[in-house]
């Protein structure tokens, strides 16, 4: 059921429906899922397994290591269908990071696009060692490399008020309008939907 992407609570419910006398706890379901996932990886580390899966799905990915080439610092990846969508609908993009969502506590930077029918689609993800200008410059350079034409540059980029990201967007995509997300600025600007830079 884990392979079918069933949620742990649904797995537990199914187990209890199949066997009314089952005393299985949710913790046991999580432990069994963890063991199954480790078995899928075989002797590979989590990162090696991720890269293997990216290659199996023919995803485009780029890595960047530290100067001694001993530690991976940044990982950028995008699915081929996402790249096709980007080159079809490059006009409006949203960029943001999430925190503490993985074992390594690395920020996960996501780039999302908006279609002409106002649907969103995921373009690319990047695990970053830090949210510094250097990391964002590298990430946006990898992103720009996904565009098939210089005429396909985004017209609008929506971000939060991350100063490093704001500077990099202005450097890497100087002709793109930069808009701040209302959700991130509403404490400072009441009644505004978007604040133009």
């Amino acid at each position: 059921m884990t392979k079918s992407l069933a949620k742990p609570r649904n797995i537990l419910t199914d187990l209890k429906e199949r066997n009314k006398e089952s005393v299985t706890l949710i913790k046991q379901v999580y432990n069994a899922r963890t063991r199954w996932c480790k078995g899928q990886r075989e002797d590979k580390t989590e990162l090696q397994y991720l890269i293997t899966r990216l290659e199996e799905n023919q995803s485009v990915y780029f890595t960047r290591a530290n100067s001694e080439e001993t530690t991976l610092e940044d990982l950028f990846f995008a699915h081929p269908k996402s790249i096709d969508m980007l080159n079809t609908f490059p006009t409006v993009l949203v960029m943001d990071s999430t925190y503490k969502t993985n074992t390594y506590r690395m920020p996960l930077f996501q780039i999302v696009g908006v279609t002409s029918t106002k649907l969103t689609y995921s373009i690319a993800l990047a695990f970053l060692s830090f949210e510094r200008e250097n990391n964002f410059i590298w990430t946006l350079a990898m992103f720009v490399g996904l565009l098939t034409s210089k005429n396909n540059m985004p017209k609008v980029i929506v971000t939060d008020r991350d100063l490093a990201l704001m500077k990099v967007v202005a450097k890497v995509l100087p002709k793109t309008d930069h808009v701040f997300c209302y959700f991130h600025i509403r404490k400072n600007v009441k009644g505004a939907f978007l604040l133009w830079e």
Side-chain angles (χ1 to χ4, degrees), residues 65-129:
N66 63 4
S67 56
E68 293 85 34
E69 304 255 343
T70 57
T71 305
L72 182 74
E73 289 194 351
D74 302 313
L75 170 65
F76 176 96
F77 54 97
H79 192 275
K81 289 183 181 177
S82 297
I83 297 169
D84 291 343
M85 290 287 289
L86 167 65
N87 285 292
T88 304
F89 302 105
T91 307
V92 179
L93 305 180
V94 180
M95 298 180 181
D96 198 12
S97 295
T98 58
Y99 303 92
K100 300 178 184 175
T101 57
N102 54 71
T103 307
Y104 304 106
R105 296 194 173 272
M106 294 175 76
L108 177 64
F109 184 70
Q110 184 172 18
I111 303 172
V112 175
V114 181
T115 68
S116 58
T117 57
K118 298 182 183 175
L119 296 174
T120 58
Y121 63 96
S122 181
I123 298 170
L125 296 165
F127 285 106
L128 306 175
S129 54

Side-chain angles (χ1 to χ4, degrees), residues 15-33:
L15 291 173
K16 293 202 180 244
E17 284 177 3
R18 289 182 189 192
N19 180 3
K20 301 289 184 200
E21 297 174 12
S22 173
V23 291
T24 304
L25 303 173
I26 194 73
K27 177 78 172 153
Q28 293 169 306
V29 173
Y30 277 105
N31 290 343
R33 284 170 46 101

Side-chain angles (χ1 to χ4, degrees), residues 116-154:
S116 58
T117 57
K118 298 182 183 175
L119 296 174
T120 58
Y121 63 96
S122 181
I123 298 170
L125 296 165
F127 285 106
L128 306 175
S129 54
F130 299 102
E131 284 191 295
R132 296 184 183 147
E133 285 185 47
N134 180 352
N135 302 87
F136 286 130
I137 287 172
W138 179 83
T139 302
L140 289 184
M142 299 303 106
F143 162 75
V144 169
L146 301 178
L147 297 168
T148 56
S149 166
K150 296 293 180 196
N151 298 329
N152 258 2
M153 289 295 178

Side-chain angles (χ1 to χ4, degrees), residues 138-176:
W138 179 83
T139 302
L140 289 184
M142 299 303 106
F143 162 75
V144 169
L146 301 178
L147 297 168
T148 56
S149 166
K150 296 293 180 196
N151 298 329
N152 258 2
M153 289 295 178
K155 305 287 186 266
V156 177
I157 291 182
V158 182
T159 68
D160 61 4
R161 293 184 61 119
D162 184 320
L163 295 177
L165 180 57
M166 289 166 48
K167 288 180 185 177
V168 171
V169 167
K171 284 180 192 174
V172 177
L173 301 163
K175 294 182 180 178
T176 301

